[in-house]
Amino acid sequence: MSRPTPLHEVHKSLGATLTDFAGWLMPLRYGSESAEHTAVRTAAGLFDLSHMGEIHVTGAGAADALDYALVGNLGGLEPGRARYTMMCDADGGIVDDLIVYRLAPEEFMVCANASNYLRVARELTDRAKNHDAVVDDRSDSYALLAVQGPRSPEIVAKLTDADLVNLKYYTGLPGTVAGVDALIARTGYTGEDGFELFVAAGDAVKLWGALMEAGAAEGLVPAGLSARDTLRLEAGMPLYGNELTAATTPMDAGLGRVVRFDKQGDFVGRAALDGLEPGRRLVGLVMKGRRVPRHGFAVVDADGAVVGEVTSGAPSPSIGRPIAMAYVTATPAAVDIRGSHEPVDVVDLPFYRRKK
Amino acid sequence: MSSIPDELSYTKEHEWVAGLDDGLTVTVGITAYASEQLGDVVYVQPPEVGASIEVGDAVGEVESTKSVSDIYAPVGGEVTAVNSAVVDDPSLVNSDPYGEGWLFQVRVTGTPDDLLTAEEYTALISGDS
């Protein structure tokens, strides 16, 4: 039985199509997912991301614990800033990709994927045991709302006194939004400007209502996981379970830069990852035709030989043709879509980059 | 509740058939319920004009953001026309599934005896949801 989020009744009243995702009952779309996608690109969308995990790591040894547990340099993170990083296994395989917020010198919040946060919390607890740090999985007490899109600063500004102008990308500060205590973070997973608001589960409905009201004149619409997936795919952002798995290293995914070999001390995965060359390449594919490549479809070269596999694929509202990310070992020419080799253009990622 | 016109016949695979009572040629599409379940339709591949089809054959595809579904022939016969407008603009399946979103026409040689009435189809999708 899937768990409802604190906003379940709101989604039902909006007529959302619900779907099971990582054990949670989540809104897939409220109406047309393409319209939701376009709203985020041109105005703003409101997402319920309460399925994500929030794990606090606190104490004098918190930074050292995270530097050992994760591949990034968290000790070098200024309070108030956030960093995209990963947890790897000793063999270099990816356990999860994460955003870590340094709330205070001795307090961090690790935001983990819904499908992985229980494992991440267990691993953090285990990996922190020789450090003066406490790992506390507070996922159940949080709701997470994201306002994403070019109009999101105006919308959130109506509801807070926080200094949003100086809240740069990948920073987060505690504040009040619509009278609700929140961690206001300028992060997201859409390729647009936007905010992620971490609040107490009991405040989620109040905040959702206030945001919808404040955003009405700005074109804010509720947006579901379907739009979130096409938005992140256009932005070339990897998804755990698709581009990132336990059998994938950060180097495979083209994200070797997140592994900070220059930091002091050992970290889980260092020995396996040091000097590792990627065994394959993550590429962007744009279909010449209109059939849609899907996760797991074979990618073939000009001779029809299999050279890789699609990790994510979807029709792209912004490009007007289907797009995909795929791991390949040679230059792709086509995707095998139910027996038919459908030709592709190979492009640099991301597919979409917002205008600054 | 999705619209389910009384005058049409339906299949368990969520297709509708129009014109069965009038004569030889019928029009086929997918139901409003099916289009709502699929989400935004982005690609339609109808059968080819002139193709000979049998009841239950997979004769085409309807693809949406999240999934792809086969179109099954609800009747047997020869395909006499396909809707090029819906090939060019697949969103017609969402906006007008019983009108401009029709998929193809068939000169009927075989009709199964298990097509559903509007009432039976309503019961089917009520059980679905």
Side-chain angles (χ1 to χ4, degrees), chain A residues 17 28-29 31-35 225-226 229-230 290-294 297 313-315 337-338 342, chain B residues 35-45 61 63-68 70 86-90:
Chain A
T17 300
L28 182 63
R29 53 190 154 83
S32 157
E33 64 269 23
S34 318
L225 290 187
S226 184
D229 191 46
T230 50
R290 290 164 68 177
R291 299 178 87 195
V292 184
R294 308 282 181 183
F297 286 12
I337 298 186
R338 294 179 291 284
E342 302 283 342
Chain B
S35 80
E36 285 160 20
Q37 294 293 306
L38 284 167
D40 293 336
V41 175
V42 296
Y43 173 75
V44 172
Q45 183 180 283
E61 290 178 358
E63 186 143 24
S64 66
T65 305
K66 281 287 177 198
S67 68
V68 59
D70 285 320
V86 84
V87 174
D88 292 341
D89 181 5

Side-chain angles (χ1 to χ4, degrees), chain A residues 6 17 33 37 40 52 65 97 99 118 154-155 191 193-195 209 225 240 277 288 349:
Chain A
T17 300
E33 64 269 23
H37 178 113
V40 174
M52 304 288 284
D97 65 332
I99 294 179
L118 294 172
E154 289 86 344
I155 295 165
D193 191 7
F195 300 87
L225 290 187
Y240 198 90
E277 293 295 325
K288 292 180 189 285
L349 294 170

Side-chain angles (χ1 to χ4, degrees), chain A residues 64-306:
Chain A
D64 286 347
L66 288 172
D67 276 341
Y68 172 69
L70 309 178
V71 299
N73 179 4
L74 290 312
L77 192 62
E78 296 287 326
R81 299 198 67 107
R83 185 158 293 163
Y84 177 77
T85 185
M86 293 183 185
M87 173 182 277
C88 285
D89 275 322
D91 68 359
I94 301 168
V95 175
D96 201 10
D97 65 332
L98 309 162
I99 294 179
V100 177
Y101 300 86
R102 191 168 201 171
L103 306 177
E106 296 186 358
E107 181 172 16
F108 296 81
M109 186 180 79
V110 177
C111 184
N113 282 299
S115 50
N116 294 324
Y117 74 88
L118 294 172
R119 166 94 197 275
V120 170
R122 273 202 313 276
E123 290 286 348
L124 284 175
T125 303
D126 187 50
R127 295 177 188 192
K129 67 184 179 221
N130 294 325
H131 298 270
D132 179 14
V134 175
V135 176
D136 184 14
D137 177 2
R138 298 189 198 165
S139 303
D140 287 350
S141 64
Y142 272 106
L144 173 56
L145 279 66
V147 187
Q148 298 281 302
R151 306 298 292 168
S152 48
E154 289 86 344
I155 295 165
V156 177
K158 288 180 191 175
L159 300 173
T160 183
D161 295 331
D163 181 8
L164 299 183
V165 174
N166 288 311
L167 187 71
K168 301 299 182 194
Y169 192 51
Y170 266 76
T171 61
L173 85 169
T176 306
V177 182
V180 166
D181 289 337
L183 171 66
I184 307 169
R186 199 153 202 163
T187 46
Y189 193 52
T190 59
E192 298 298 334
D193 191 7
F195 300 87
E196 295 184 307
L197 306 171
F198 296 85
V199 299
D203 289 333
V205 171
K206 180 184 177 189
L207 180 58
W208 178 282
L211 287 165
M212 286 300 292
E213 197 178 319
E218 312 286 346
L220 179 75
V221 302
L225 290 187
S226 184
R228 181 169 158 87
D229 191 46
T230 50
L231 289 158
R232 70 92 194 165
L233 176 58
E234 286 185 349
M237 294 171 163
L239 172 64
Y240 198 90
N242 291 42
E243 287 72 35
L244 311 179
T245 68
T248 313
T249 67
M251 288 73 182
D252 290 331
L255 293 166
R257 63 185 158 76
V258 307
V259 186
R260 294 293 297 273
F261 296 109
D262 58 333
K263 68 179 171 179
Q264 297 272 313
D266 194 19
F267 61 90
V268 180
R270 181 193 272 269
L273 291 169
D274 202 0
L276 189 70
E277 293 295 325
R280 51 204 165 147
R281 197 158 56 91
L282 189 66
V283 295
L285 307 176
V286 177
M287 305 304 293
K288 292 180 189 285
R290 290 164 68 177
R291 299 178 87 195
V292 184
R294 308 282 181 183
H295 184 188
F297 286 12
V299 177
V300 299
D301 66 11
D303 297 326
V306 174

Side-chain angles (χ1 to χ4, degrees), chain B residues 6-30:
Chain B
D6 280 341
E7 66 277 17
L8 305 179
S9 300
Y10 298 88
T11 70
K12 293 190 175 80
E13 284 78 32
H14 309 287
E15 284 118 7
W16 55 262
V17 182
L20 262 184
D21 299 337
D22 308 335
L24 290 175
T25 300
V26 301
T27 304
V28 177
I30 70 165

Side-chain angles (χ1 to χ4, degrees), chain A residues 48-65:
Chain A
D48 175 12
L49 306 177
S50 299
H51 59 317
M52 304 288 284
E54 295 86 6
I55 302 153
H56 283 244
V57 183
T58 51
D64 286 347

